[in-house]
Amino acid sequence: MVSIAVLGYGTVGSGVVEVIEKNREVIDRRAGKKIRVKYILDLRDFPGDPYEDRIVHDINVILQDPEVSVICETMGGNEPAFTYSMQALRAGKSVCTSNKELVANHGAELIRTARENSCNYLFEASVGGGIPIIRPLNVALTAERIELISGILNGTTNYILTRMAEDGSDFASSLREAQEKGYAERNPEADVEGYDACRKIAILASLMTGKTVRYEEIYTEGITKLTHEDFLYAKKLGQYIKLLASVREVDGNYYAMVAPFMIGEKNPLHSVNDVFNAIFIRGNTLGDSMYYGRGAGKLPTASAVVSDVIDCAKHGRTHILCLWEEEKLPLCSIDGASRKFFVRASQGCEEEAKELFGEIELTDAGVAGEFGFVTPLITEKEFAEKSAALSGFISRIRMEEA
């Protein structure tokens, strides 16, 4: 039998216990041995809870119990999650986590510590919730040189953008609806400003390259400046507005960013709506593949954590290879990245726009006092310079080809 402990009895932690109990028969069969929750660590007591007898308040009870071989860290945040995870790994206990913040900050160090102590640090649930993506990158796609990872990695922002597109609502009312439905936190900053997606693409970029990509170095832009008018133009152009997190390799150089993009129907991410997430991967010999599902939520995320527990149970004290070194990968400035841009500008500066950007086709979406246009392919730096010189410039949205 494999005895496990769950650190943090919140949404995901309680979900882990529920999944293990609900799917006990299939989990035991697939693991090849019984998996049982022995301890649940939390500061609180849970009188009346079916598992209240397993609640402990001292991490040392878990660390000093030789029967516990796998720990599920579902606390969130950096501390005390980092300290507890390191203590567990140094004691030879594998750790499975949903904690994207911790993985983004210390993933390589925790993997190395697991390797040194013949155990595992697994984090399938840290990026796509219930979407399998870490394991495919580490196992199924190991023969590939990955050229591009691009994804819709945040369900809150995707829900808001879907509502703005389909209902014609503005950002504030769409956010309020998301909060009422429980899809957005009371303080939604991490989601709507793109920080959550940034940490997730940093993890995927690190696995793609085998080196550490720091999320602080990734250009990040949220969705708070998008307006109802932007969606009118997108509809006119046959485009869809999505918050994309991406990392791309071009001639040995790596570019990463999080920002709203207009994408067309040739891009498979265009049809990913509401709280669903998807991750698009392009390999040099495989070509394109996409992974789709619920990117968050109690049971989908818990299911991913438990899948890692099963992997740990099957491998015992054998370390599962994960190529993610502590050496930092320098990212290229997005200034040199080339793409098309959609621009909104005030009426009366059409000729000025043509002089600055060359051949452009004007778009009328029925918005009073302005027009839109799509630029030719241009670098970020060139666009910044030319848009600054356009007297009637209102706003821009990047465009992504398929």
Side-chain angles (χ1 to χ4, degrees):
M1 184 172 76
V2 175
S3 294
I4 75 168
V6 177
L7 309 187
Y9 201 43
T11 300
V12 178
S14 61
V16 168
V17 177
E18 184 177 339
V19 168
I20 290 174
E21 295 298 325
K22 185 175 183 178
N23 293 345
R24 175 182 293 190
E25 184 180 339
V26 68
I27 288 170
D28 291 352
R29 187 167 68 248
R30 289 174 177 167
K33 55 195 75 175
K34 293 181 179 180
I35 293 177
R36 298 292 181 265
V37 178
K38 187 171 184 180
Y39 299 111
I40 300 169
L41 178 75
D42 205 285
L43 292 174
R44 301 162 293 175
D45 290 308
F46 295 85
D49 188 274
Y51 311 106
E52 65 174 316
D53 60 323
R54 305 180 206 184
I55 300 289
V56 296
H57 305 304
D58 184 357
I59 185 65
N60 291 306
V61 172
I62 296 168
L63 296 174
Q64 294 170 10
D65 188 336
E67 290 186 357
V68 175
S69 59
V70 182
I71 290 176
C72 300
E73 185 275 297
T74 57
M75 306 174 72
N78 271 302
E79 288 294 355
F82 174 66
T83 297
Y84 290 174
S85 296
M86 288 296 284
Q87 289 174 331
L89 294 171
R90 287 169 178 157
K93 302 179 189 294
S94 292
V95 176
C96 307
T97 186
S98 59
N99 189 341
K100 59 185 170 289
E101 184 177 353
L102 181 59
V103 176
N105 277 316
H106 299 289
E109 181 183 0
L110 289 159
I111 291 168
R112 173 178 56 78
T113 303
R115 183 174 64 246
E116 291 171 349
N117 291 278
S118 300
C119 55
N120 286 289
Y121 184 73
L122 303 182
F123 45 95
E124 182 63 69
S126 66
V127 173
I131 304 172
I133 187 59
I134 306 299
R135 200 169 282 107
L137 283 172
N138 281 337
V139 180
L141 300 177
T142 49
E144 289 296 305
R145 191 183 80 241
I146 305 298
E147 299 174 339
L148 168 69
I149 300 177
S150 180
I152 295 170
L153 299 179
N154 183 273
T156 299
T157 51
N158 205 42
Y159 180 84
I160 291 170
L161 295 179
T162 301
R163 297 278 64 78
M164 292 178 74
E166 295 183 356
D167 302 341
S169 52
D170 60 17
F171 170 78
S173 59
S174 297
L175 170 60
R176 190 161 53 249
E177 181 182 337
Q179 290 171 322
E180 290 169 355
K181 290 181 177 291
Y183 298 148
E185 302 287 346
R186 183 174 297 178
N187 179 2
E189 182 182 18
D191 295 321
V192 299
E193 295 294 355
Y195 306 147
D196 175 79
C198 177
R199 285 177 170 83
K200 293 173 180 176
I201 198 63
I203 294 169
L204 294 179
S206 298
L207 294 174
M208 169 182 169
T209 63
K211 297 180 181 179
T212 294
V213 174
R214 299 297 305 172
Y215 67 84
E216 300 95 334
E217 298 179 9
I218 296 176
Y219 175 88
T220 302
E221 185 179 313
I223 65 169
T224 56
K225 295 179 181 178
L226 293 174
T227 67
H228 168 64
E229 289 75 18
D230 292 323
F231 288 86
L232 294 177
Y233 282 107
K235 185 175 182 180
K236 184 77 173 181
L237 292 167
Q239 298 282 304
Y240 303 80
I241 300 176
K242 302 292 182 182
L243 182 70
L244 298 185
S246 63
V247 55
R248 183 188 304 268
E249 184 264 326
V250 181
D251 298 327
N253 298 310
Y254 291 90
Y255 300 86
M257 72 183 308
V258 176
F261 278 83
M262 281 190 183
I263 59 177
E265 291 188 352
K266 290 184 178 179
N267 189 315
L269 293 170
H270 87 274
S271 60
V272 180
N273 292 317
D274 293 314
V275 295
F276 284 87
N277 287 189
I279 300 150
F280 175 84
I281 295 180
R282 177 169 294 149
N284 68 320
T285 59
L286 171 68
D288 298 342
S289 59
M290 192 167 83
Y291 307 81
Y292 169 86
R294 291 190 177 275
K298 176 179 179 176
L299 294 181
T301 304
S303 177
V305 174
V306 176
S307 75
D308 281 344
V309 172
I310 294 170
D311 243 9
C312 290
K314 291 194 292 188
H315 286 85
R317 295 303 300 269
T318 301
H319 179 72
I320 302 169
L321 181 64
C322 178
L323 296 178
W324 181 354
E325 300 299 328
E326 290 169 82
E327 178 186 353
K328 192 172 79 170
L329 178 79
L331 294 173
C332 292
S333 167
I334 66 165
D335 285 351
S338 296
R339 56 177 51 90
K340 294 180 180 180
F341 293 79
F342 170 74
V343 179
R344 289 169 56 194
S346 301
Q347 279 183 350
C349 67
E350 289 87 347
E351 292 305 315
E352 184 184 354
K354 290 177 181 178
E355 289 177 10
L356 283 167
F357 291 98
E359 285 299 317
I360 56 173
E361 186 173 340
L362 304 186
T363 302
D364 181 4
V367 181
E370 64 176 74
F371 67 98
F373 65 91
V374 176
T375 72
L377 204 64
I378 188 173
T379 66
E380 290 267 354
K381 183 179 180 180
E382 289 174 318
F383 176 79
E385 293 169 349
K386 292 184 177 184
S387 62
L390 180 61
S391 60
F393 176 79
I394 297 174
S395 65
R396 59 94 179 98
I397 302 177
R398 296 172 176 86
M399 304 189 76
E400 178 83 332
E401 300 298 323

